[in-house]
Amino acid sequence: MLGLMQDRPLLISQLIEHAALNHADTEIVSRSVEGPIHRYTYKDCAARCRKLANALTKLGTQQGDVIGTLAWNGYRHLELYFGVAAMGAVCHTVNPRLFPEQIIYIINHAEDKFFFTDLTFVPLLEAVADKLSTVKQFIIMTDRAHMPETKLANVLCYEELLDAENDSYQWPLFDENTASSLCYTSGTTGNPKGVLFSHRSTMLHSYCVCMPDALGLSAMDTMLPVVPMFHANAWGIPYAAAMCGTKLVMPGARMDGEAIYELMETEKVNLSAGVPTVWMMLLSYVKENKKKFTYMRYTIIGGSAAARSMIETFKYDYNVEVLHAWGMTETSPLGTSCRPKKKHENLSDEEKVTLSLKQGRAVFGVEMKIVDGNGKDLPWDGKQFGNLLVRGPWIASGYFKGAGGQAVDEDNWFDTGDVSTIDPDGYMQITDRSKDVIKSGGEWISSIDVENEAIGCPGVAEAAVIAVPHPKWDERPLVLAVKEAGSNVTKEQVIEHLSKTLAKWQLPDDVVFVDELPHTATGKLLKNKLRDAYKDYKLPT
Ligand code: AMP
């Protein structure tokens, strides 16, 4: 017997129209690429999304067309997020930090029909435009006064396009499984692969993001997403914010510590989200300038593991709690969130920090398991680690146009490429990327564990740990570390610091100081580049 509930499709148009009606005067504040702070409301945003849909219709956009963007976190990008998807087209966010060849590949592979760009990325597009085979028109996201001289052909001005339209538009109803946005993962090898989200997956993911034990957004919050809208849909925050009427503060092109801090204070931001590298910049700014946070309550860290020293600095020095979360582009991205349970209420502060080092419990909707090399399930004992597999309604079933072949097994389990433990309470802890674990004499050493401890050593700003071939043990760990400005920290001091928490066989064989470490376009350590550079490195032992 079927239930008698309405079969209304879950569509992104409902998000922005809901916000326009129920949170009409809630603000969206952006640091514009042109410079000044821009502010308007969800009601204004929805009206401009409708204008955008009218403009795109006139330009000839059909349902299913892919519309590219190269843009920072800002109000115009938000209009594209909602407007493009709501009309039935696909919003394809391109990561400007990729190499030009990858950008060309991605835009051609996705077959972007129209392309929207912030002023910042006009030169980047000029350099590759003649290799883009599908783009009919470029739209520069600014007003007439700021339109640059450009070599790009077929250029339109965003504000002129919107000014010419009225703000009534009837959003179409269609199947909730229709594609809504597209985001390419920046793997360390091979071409990037496209993850194609649907209206249904985005909406279900948004409900989840708002839950108190997930990211816990609400109409009482002011959220500053530092995580870019060109990386994994800014962790779904723009959609979730519209769902529950959260005030949004968008940092635009200025991601430096000073600019982020200033916005946090002037806009009374109480929660934020980003990868550890941006928090390193923010923390060093507030430390150097002896600042305090007036409103910040908690910050979400994901994308890479949050180190103990960072969690402790936020907590003890600045009274800001860290919420550690894990996910990947293929998981929309939220997979786990590290919220405590009632039973953890009376833990000591130190024990609470230890708990928050874990990546967290699966949010409802995400099933998770760990398996050994033969695919056999491993127990949730917090000790045994294996390949982490996930499945659920916002986990990818395959890559765009079948790239990379089969992405899930016959039971829909997706192999994340991460290695982790899961404890009896369901808390998952990443030990490594499967290709980054260091295999030393039959034992596995977690490069992430060693990195996190190394970063806690006074004088060390950043550290990467890689495997170096070893005649006896197969592989041994090597630490590559960047010193803090003015620090004279030595190799012996780093090893001495590590020996407080690591077993002898886990200690690195050597520490090499470098000026900087290479990162991927999404801020993760580029370990394969380091492995290549140090593959012939002679360890002292
Ligand atoms: P991306 O698709 O670029 O967001 O990258 C996803 C990958 O980032 C995951 O598979 C993990 O390897 C890594 N990652 C994400 N969140 C965390 C975290 N909290 N701790 C450690 N690694 C993480």
Side-chain angles (χ1 to χ4, degrees), residues 7 60 74 82 103 141 204 252 272 320 424 476 499:
D7 190 15
F82 292 118
I103 293 182
M141 294 156 73
L204 293 176
S272 188
V320 174
R476 290 294 300 154
S499 60

Side-chain angles (χ1 to χ4, degrees), residues 231 302-305 324-330 359 418 433 522 524:
H231 181 199
S304 297
H324 197 184
W326 167 90
M328 53 200 309
T329 309
E330 290 89 334
Q359 277 71 11
D418 287 325
R433 286 297 289 168
T522 51
K524 298 182 214 307

Side-chain angles (χ1 to χ4, degrees), residues 380-394:
W380 290 22
D381 61 6
K383 294 189 188 78
Q384 297 196 52
F385 48 86
N387 299 319
L388 175 67
L389 310 189
V390 291
R391 66 178 178 192
W394 56 83

Side-chain angles (χ1 to χ4, degrees), residues 139-293:
I139 297 101
I140 302 184
M141 294 156 73
T142 190
D143 55 16
R144 176 49 56 191
H146 291 89
M147 280 295 278
E149 290 272 334
T150 175
K151 290 190 291 216
L152 287 175
N154 298 326
V155 166
L156 294 170
C157 163
Y158 186 87
E159 290 301 331
E160 277 181 357
L161 207 60
L162 262 60
D163 283 347
E165 302 301 332
N166 73 53
D167 63 8
S168 58
Y169 179 93
Q170 188 59 48
W171 299 114
L173 282 181
F174 44 75
D175 185 338
E176 64 183 15
N177 289 300
T178 303
S180 57
S181 66
L182 176 62
C183 193
Y184 281 71
T185 57
S186 46
T188 43
T189 51
N191 279 323
K193 297 197 282 286
V195 180
L196 189 61
F197 307 91
S198 69
H199 285 256
R200 175 184 155 81
S201 71
T202 305
M203 296 293 278
L204 293 176
H205 182 261
S206 306
Y207 279 115
C208 172
V209 165
C210 298
M211 290 193 344
D213 266 10
L215 303 190
L217 263 60
S218 85
M220 292 290 287
D221 291 312
T222 299
M223 154 60 96
L224 188 157
V226 187
V227 51
M229 291 169 76
F230 52 74
H231 181 199
N233 295 320
W235 299 350
I237 290 164
Y239 305 114
M243 183 172 270
C244 58
T246 303
K247 172 176 169 182
L248 276 175
V249 181
M250 303 297 227
R254 292 229 13 227
M255 309 285 232
D256 56 288
E258 181 181 10
I260 299 286
Y261 176 79
E262 187 192 297
L263 274 181
M264 285 176 164
E265 288 297 300
T266 54
E267 296 304 324
K268 304 195 167 106
V269 170
N270 67 325
L271 80 121
S272 188
V275 296
T277 16
V278 305
W279 301 130
M280 266 172 14
M281 288 194 293
L282 179 72
L283 286 174
S284 80
Y285 171 80
V286 288
K287 190 170 157 199
E288 269 162 37
N289 295 280
K290 302 193 172 41
K291 304 279 190 193
K292 291 280 171 209
F293 294 105

